[in-house]
Amino acid sequence: MRFVAAIGLVLATVASAQTPPPAAKPAQVDPAAPVPIEAFAELPSVESPKLSPDGTRVVAKSAVGGRQVLVLSSLKGNAERLSLGTPENTDINWWRWVNDDWLIVGLGAQQQLYGIDVYITRVLSVKADFKTTRRLDWDKSGLRADDVLWVAHDGSPRILLSRQTGIDHESDFNPAVFEIDVSTGKSRRVADGRANVYDWYADGEGQVRAAYQYNDEKRSSALLYRTNNAESFRVIARRARKDEDGLTVPITFRADGSAIALDDEGGFTSVYQVSLPDLALGNKLYALDGYDVDGIIDNADENDVAGVTLTDRHGRTVWFDNKLKTLQDDIDKSIGDRRAKIVSWDRKRDKFLIEVAAASQPGGLYYWDSAFSRMQRIAWNSNTLQSRRLSTVSTIRYTARDGLPIEAVLTMPRHRPGQKNLPLIVLPHGGPSARDSEGWDWWTQYLAELGYVVIQPNYRGSSGYGLAFAKKGAGEWGLKMQDDLNDAVTHLAKQGIADPKRVCMVGASYGGYAAMRAAQRDGKLYRCAISYAGVSDLAALRRYDSQFLNGRTIADWLRTQAPDFQTVSPRFHAADFSTPILLMHGKVDKRVPVAQSRTLAAELKRAGKPHRYVEQPLGDHFFSRSEDRLQFLQEMTAFLKAHNPA
């Protein structure tokens, strides 16, 4: 049918990129010299680098001509770089090596199906010479076809791919699992689709072991399990919406028959050993006092845990594997106050890619071969800034008006050391189920470069601080969550750091919503507000989200966040806006529809309230184009200069 044919228009274009010069030494620049706005608008020169299994090549997303493309670089000699681009409306979402000769790339594109915008995903296999590509079952798939469960460890070009099988029948929407030879495109089915199953789990041997089943209409879930592909699946656990505890889902299947899972028993997400098939929690393998564990890193055979990722003041990895732990310790000792993260490795885990940076420095990507005793820098994350240090970043804590402790990230402008009562930007994160931590942030550093103190509060409802803290956000959109942001102003004013009469709120996504709410509800506290891709109408967002997978559950969640949508939706209170606001939104935003800002701008115009609305024709939700970043920074600068000059 026409819909399936339209997927074929998502074409990969293969081109050559110029051979990069050897990684340059840091340019000799006066540390006190101002940084031009263009430097902050640059896209990262290297994003999510992946080292080939033989340790000789790196594939990463890179900025070429202001656009993000996939680039393959050799670590040996001056071989030409190769790049993989896509049409303007197609996203490169992820990439992964299969063996030394092939890699796979996840693509996505927004298209219309029966008058509704839908997001389609596909997997493309790419030969390592970037001359041959194969569309893996593109014409036999539905909307979602990019969930890779497993990659062969024996060097063969095999993967397990979970994908929908079409759109003509309801059963087609339940993804089945296929083993695919990515070099030929040939596939065979290894697990049939099942009603309400959208998530499959495989072990290190490529056996499909578990499936998570969720009935969106009944809001009930179940875990299906088997020991190998020859067995039939059976239900080993069930949960209903009324149950307080969720299902424990095994992530890593151990050779001894047990599994590794993340569970929030005790209030914080920790790593447990789990017995099968009864899912009884065994030994707690790792926990971090006061914080959730973010994730698990498997060993080379994917049959045990090698380390865990976590975030306290900053993101880091705790290694269980002695070899990797020793490597991490040795690197940490050699880089001073910077921070190192091992991000990729070869099949033998002898060669590594390591990101070294600081919260005040974008840093660079380094290559470490265990046969030698030094790291080799292969790229800067910012070609303009390189190793320059900018404004200092720290973690502070303050107490909200109801006594709740709040953690926040504070950035102090480097050109104003020791000064008091500085102008302040409150910059809440999106989500709201997310959090900020110490790390390089182009937006925050730009505001500090202008002369502002920047505070990023992890308000109630933020993730990473345990179950109880997350639940405190329930029903508090624009209410106590907003109070937490305002209380940061009070705290910094008492400390003499910020001038409470020179404050603006700036944010994107939920942070953009908070900026709208500040201009509408708390205009006496803020001289201006700036929203990028903000939400102005929660009921409209609920209707939009209900079109997608598990839409009823998403709607339920949004209802728990704000039981009375209209009261806390700025769109319906344009007459209450008492401070100027800048609204910006990307027209091709796939997460928060552009109508969220358009409608508020129209209401503000009708009410005669001071505002400026800027729509970016090719802008998305994530500032994926340098032109959009630059325009945003320029508009923000002009608006701040007019209403809250630094």
Side-chain angles (χ1 to χ4, degrees), residues 56-316:
T56 64
R57 289 156 294 172
V58 178
V59 64
K61 191 180 283 189
S62 185
V64 176
R67 288 190 59 207
Q68 292 177 318
V69 299
L70 207 60
V71 173
L72 178 73
S73 304
S74 173
L75 295 173
K76 293 186 175 181
N78 283 328
E80 185 178 44
R81 289 200 309 170
L82 303 172
S83 66
L84 177 75
T86 61
E88 192 72 56
N89 68 334
T90 304
D91 303 323
I92 300 175
N93 293 325
W94 56 262
W95 45 97
R96 181 175 179 179
W97 288 94
V98 177
N99 60 16
D100 292 331
D101 299 317
W102 288 88
L103 56 128
I104 48 178
V105 181
L107 302 175
Q110 193 96 349
Q111 293 185 13
Q112 279 216 336
L113 172 63
Y114 306 129
I116 299 174
D117 284 336
V118 294
Y119 193 67
I120 303 166
T121 61
R122 293 290 184 266
V123 176
L124 186 77
S125 65
V126 183
K127 198 167 185 181
D129 60 6
F130 270 35
K131 294 180 180 178
T132 303
T133 62
R134 298 196 186 283
R135 301 175 180 182
L136 302 183
D137 287 348
W138 281 26
D139 58 345
K140 302 175 184 177
S141 300
L143 305 181
R144 175 182 166 184
D146 70 336
D147 189 4
V148 176
L149 310 180
W150 171 83
V151 170
H153 301 149
D154 60 4
S156 63
R158 296 177 297 130
I159 67 170
L160 289 181
L161 176 67
S162 167
R163 65 170 179 83
Q164 294 176 336
T165 55
I167 62 169
D168 294 325
H169 306 285
E170 187 175 349
S171 60
D172 294 335
F173 281 81
N174 301 311
V177 181
F178 297 82
E179 181 182 287
I180 303 179
D181 183 324
V182 303
S183 66
T184 64
K186 293 182 179 179
S187 66
R188 66 180 183 91
R189 189 185 299 242
V190 296
D192 292 327
R194 289 172 171 263
N196 299 313
V197 167
Y198 293 95
D199 296 298
W200 296 91
Y201 301 87
D203 63 19
E205 299 296 324
Q207 304 289 303
V208 181
R209 299 288 300 277
Y212 179 75
Q213 187 176 54
Y214 184 78
N215 187 316
D216 191 37
E217 187 171 344
K218 295 182 179 180
R219 319 299 202 274
S220 62
S221 59
L223 187 69
L224 284 61
Y225 173 76
R226 67 185 183 186
T227 58
N228 56 61
N229 286 353
E231 290 187 356
S232 298
F233 281 101
R234 64 187 189 278
V235 175
I236 61 172
R238 296 183 187 276
R239 291 290 185 276
R241 181 169 65 170
K242 65 179 183 294
D243 295 327
E244 280 292 319
D245 59 326
L247 280 174
T248 300
V249 179
I251 299 174
T252 300
F253 297 89
R254 283 176 147 177
D256 64 5
S258 66
I260 306 294
L262 296 174
D263 198 280
D264 57 14
E265 178 76 17
F268 292 88
T269 302
S270 304
V271 184
Y272 288 88
Q273 180 174 319
V274 178
S275 62
L276 294 171
D278 61 1
L279 294 179
L281 294 183
N283 293 332
K284 184 185 290 188
L285 302 180
Y286 190 83
L288 180 63
D289 188 31
Y291 299 92
D292 294 325
V293 172
D294 296 332
I296 291 171
I297 299 176
D298 284 340
N299 65 2
D301 294 325
E302 294 185 79
N303 61 12
D304 211 338
V305 59
V308 298
T309 57
L310 52 91
T311 306
D312 40 25
R313 285 176 45 226
H314 57 88
R316 57 193 177 92

Side-chain angles (χ1 to χ4, degrees), residues 327-609:
L327 174 61
Q328 183 76 59
D329 290 343
D330 289 344
I331 295 170
D332 288 344
K333 293 173 184 176
S334 70
I335 59 173
D337 64 346
R338 293 177 296 168
R339 294 162 185 160
K341 184 178 181 181
I342 304 170
V343 295
S344 187
W345 40 79
D346 67 341
R347 68 168 63 88
K348 295 181 179 179
R349 301 200 174 185
D350 287 331
K351 302 178 179 68
F352 303 89
L353 296 179
I354 301 159
E355 289 183 349
V356 179
S360 61
Q361 178 199 66
L365 180 68
Y366 292 76
Y367 174 67
W368 176 285
D369 186 334
S370 299
F372 303 97
S373 59
R374 61 186 295 271
M375 293 193 297
Q376 173 191 354
R377 188 180 64 249
I378 59 178
W380 294 110
N381 287 332
S382 167
N383 289 325
T384 299
L385 292 172
Q386 297 187 356
S387 62
R388 286 191 68 179
R389 294 288 187 112
L390 299 183
S391 296
T392 58
V393 180
S394 63
T395 299
I396 68 167
R397 291 174 178 83
Y398 64 92
T399 303
R401 64 191 65 183
D402 63 354
L404 182 68
I406 302 291
E407 194 170 75
V409 180
L410 179 68
T411 303
M412 296 295 296
R414 66 190 181 103
H415 295 301
R416 296 184 166 186
Q419 293 188 31
K420 297 288 187 178
N421 299 318
L422 295 171
L424 174 66
I425 300 294
V426 179
L427 186 66
H429 61 72
S433 300
R435 62 168 293 198
D436 284 315
S437 61
E438 295 176 23
W440 173 258
D441 184 278
W442 60 274
W443 190 351
T444 301
Q445 286 290 332
Y446 176 70
L447 287 167
E449 190 71 8
L450 293 179
Y452 297 96
V453 174
V454 184
I455 186 74
Q456 297 169 274
N458 287 314
Y459 47 84
R460 70 191 67 206
S462 298
S463 60
Y465 296 99
L467 197 58
F469 190 85
K471 285 184 175 180
K472 286 184 182 298
E476 299 298 343
W477 271 51
L479 300 172
K480 288 184 180 180
M481 289 161 70
Q482 202 75 18
D483 293 340
D484 292 345
L485 302 176
N486 297 345
D487 292 342
V489 179
T490 304
H491 173 77
L492 294 178
K494 287 181 179 179
Q495 299 291 316
I497 294 172
D499 182 348
K501 296 180 180 179
R502 291 192 292 162
V503 186
C504 282
M505 187 179 291
V506 182
S509 197
Y510 177 86
Y513 162 80
M516 295 174 182
R517 186 77 166 134
Q520 173 240 319
R521 193 191 82 152
D522 302 309
K524 291 182 180 179
L525 187 60
Y526 297 97
R527 293 184 65 169
C528 65
I530 298 172
S531 166
Y532 188 89
V535 176
S536 70
D537 182 347
L538 274 70
L541 184 67
R542 182 178 182 233
R543 290 192 296 271
Y544 176 76
D545 282 341
S546 69
Q547 302 171 14
F548 303 109
L549 181 65
N550 292 334
R552 291 185 176 91
T553 302
I554 294 172
D556 288 348
W557 173 83
L558 193 55
R559 180 63 73 185
T560 66
Q561 301 305 296
D564 182 354
F565 287 160
Q566 185 146 336
T567 297
V568 297
S569 291
R571 174 191 173 184
F572 301 105
H573 306 282
D576 296 336
F577 275 68
S578 56
T579 195
I581 186 168
L582 168 64
L583 304 172
M584 293 189 67
H585 214 121
K587 188 176 180 179
V588 295
D589 191 327
K590 304 177 185 75
R591 181 63 193 93
V592 177
V594 67
Q596 289 283 338
S597 291
R598 282 181 183 170
T599 53
L600 178 58
E603 294 296 336
L604 292 172
K605 182 178 180 180
R606 187 175 296 113
K609 298 297 181 177

